[in-house]
Amino acid sequence: LNNEVKAPPVATTLISRTNALIFGAILAAFLVVGTFFDLQISTALFDSSSAFGIFFAAYGEMPAGLALVVAGVLLIKFRNRASVGKAIGQIIGAVLLLALGAMILTFMPTLYLNTSPAILAAIGLAIGGLTAWGVLRLSSAADRRVAIRVAVVLLVVVIAEMILINLIKIGWQRPRMRLLEENSSVLFSPWYSPGNPAKAELMAQGISSEEFKSFPSGHVGNASTMILLTVLIPLRMSLARFAPLFFWFGALWAGLVALSRVIVGAHFVSDTVI
């Protein structure tokens, strides 16, 4: 029995081709709509004090933080026990991921909610703690190789989308809808027109550079990582039947955050689609 070879992990389709194509078609349709009617839609929906908009501004990005927490927990639980050096490296990396995830969960809400930072931090830590406990239970019988792959996927997707989105923001310099509402001298810029010759002059007037980071939406990018729920399925293959549900729940969460960002004037439709 000690020499028994464990069977290799069974491959499964986490996101079906059909669901991917349907979601892609929905996004393409909204991009077309945004291309022609971005300004009109934002003008009609704009409400900077919307409770719906403020809630998702505070907690819409939560999936990215939770993904990093899950990755950190898996790296610690399934650390390399045959090599002390590798184990220490994995633990250090995991602690950094847990710290970054906790920061997203506890600090981001304080930027949007007029509630005690201590209360918001407690809520964030409670959500993170419950997630960590849940993934420990979920992975109780998981194969180590699979668990490490899941952790790497979570880490790579979240970090890559954060870096990519922020790099594009810097180059695109698209003014936010709320800036157009506040300053009549700022002109609307379509999503397919990168660069803003007037940015330097407007910043000299006291306008923050953050107001020129409309394209694309970082909130929706982080919210879209809710789709990574599907990546947890290999930790317990009995969940495979829920794969479509996980995918569409993630897509719905991203859609709600996208709508909330348009309502508060932080982004246009096309920003959220991209």
Side-chain angles (χ1 to χ4, degrees), residues 99-239:
L100 180 57
M103 184 184 73
I104 293 174
L105 295 174
T106 59
F107 174 70
M108 292 305 295
T110 65
L111 299 178
Y112 305 98
L113 297 176
N114 293 321
T115 306
S116 166
I119 294 176
L120 295 176
I123 293 173
L125 291 175
I127 294 173
L130 287 173
T131 299
W133 173 80
V135 78
L136 286 173
R137 293 288 302 272
L138 184 68
S139 62
S140 59
D143 180 270
R144 179 182 178 276
R145 294 168 297 172
V146 172
I148 294 298
R149 288 176 187 172
V150 169
V152 170
V153 168
L154 294 172
L155 168 62
V156 169
V157 171
V158 173
I159 298 301
E161 63 90 5
M162 286 182 175
I163 293 174
L164 179 61
I165 286 174
N166 282 286
L167 286 177
I168 296 174
K169 280 178 178 288
I170 294 172
W172 233 261
Q173 303 175 18
R174 188 184 195 187
R176 299 179 188 271
M177 176 63 191
R178 65 191 181 206
L179 179 58
L180 272 64
E181 287 285 329
E182 296 168 359
N183 193 323
S184 59
S185 66
V186 180
L187 300 178
F188 169 77
S189 175
W191 73 267
Y192 50 80
S193 179
N196 193 322
K199 178 183 177 182
E201 180 181 347
L202 292 167
M203 288 183 61
Q205 298 175 13
I207 297 176
S208 169
S209 62
E210 285 299 313
E211 296 306 302
F212 297 91
K213 293 183 178 180
S214 185
F215 182 90
S217 171
H219 260 78
V220 180
N222 287 332
S224 297
T225 59
M226 183 68 87
I227 294 175
L228 290 173
L229 278 171
T230 57
V231 179
L232 302 181
I233 290 172
L235 297 177
R236 182 166 295 187
M237 289 308 301
S238 61
L239 296 176

Side-chain angles (χ1 to χ4, degrees), residues 235-264:
L235 297 177
R236 182 166 295 187
M237 289 308 301
S238 61
L239 296 176
R241 65 184 184 277
F242 298 116
L245 179 62
F246 290 171
F247 173 78
W248 286 112
F249 176 76
L252 175 63
W253 180 269
L256 290 173
V257 175
L259 176 59
S260 75
R261 301 308 284 161
V262 174
I263 290 175
V264 297

Side-chain angles (χ1 to χ4, degrees), residues 11-69:
T12 186
T13 300
L14 301 180
I15 300 175
S16 73
R17 183 186 300 271
T18 299
N19 284 339
L21 289 175
I22 292 173
F23 192 40
I26 292 171
L27 292 176
F30 273 104
L31 182 58
V32 171
V33 171
T35 299
F36 292 101
F37 302 106
D38 257 348
L39 184 57
Q40 294 89 329
I41 293 172
S42 288
T43 301
L45 296 179
F46 181 69
D47 179 6
S48 60
S49 61
S50 164
F52 172 81
I54 293 172
F55 172 81
F56 279 104
Y59 289 104
E61 296 184 279
M62 184 174 60
L66 293 178
L68 295 178
V69 169

Side-chain angles (χ1 to χ4, degrees), residues 69-127:
V69 169
V70 171
V73 170
L74 290 176
L75 286 176
I76 291 176
K77 179 178 179 178
F78 293 94
R79 63 190 179 276
N80 192 318
R81 299 180 185 277
S83 169
V84 175
K86 290 181 179 179
I88 292 175
Q90 287 179 328
I91 291 174
I92 292 175
V95 169
L96 292 176
L97 292 179
L98 290 171
L100 180 57
M103 184 184 73
I104 293 174
L105 295 174
T106 59
F107 174 70
M108 292 305 295
T110 65
L111 299 178
Y112 305 98
L113 297 176
N114 293 321
T115 306
S116 166
I119 294 176
L120 295 176
I123 293 173
L125 291 175
I127 294 173

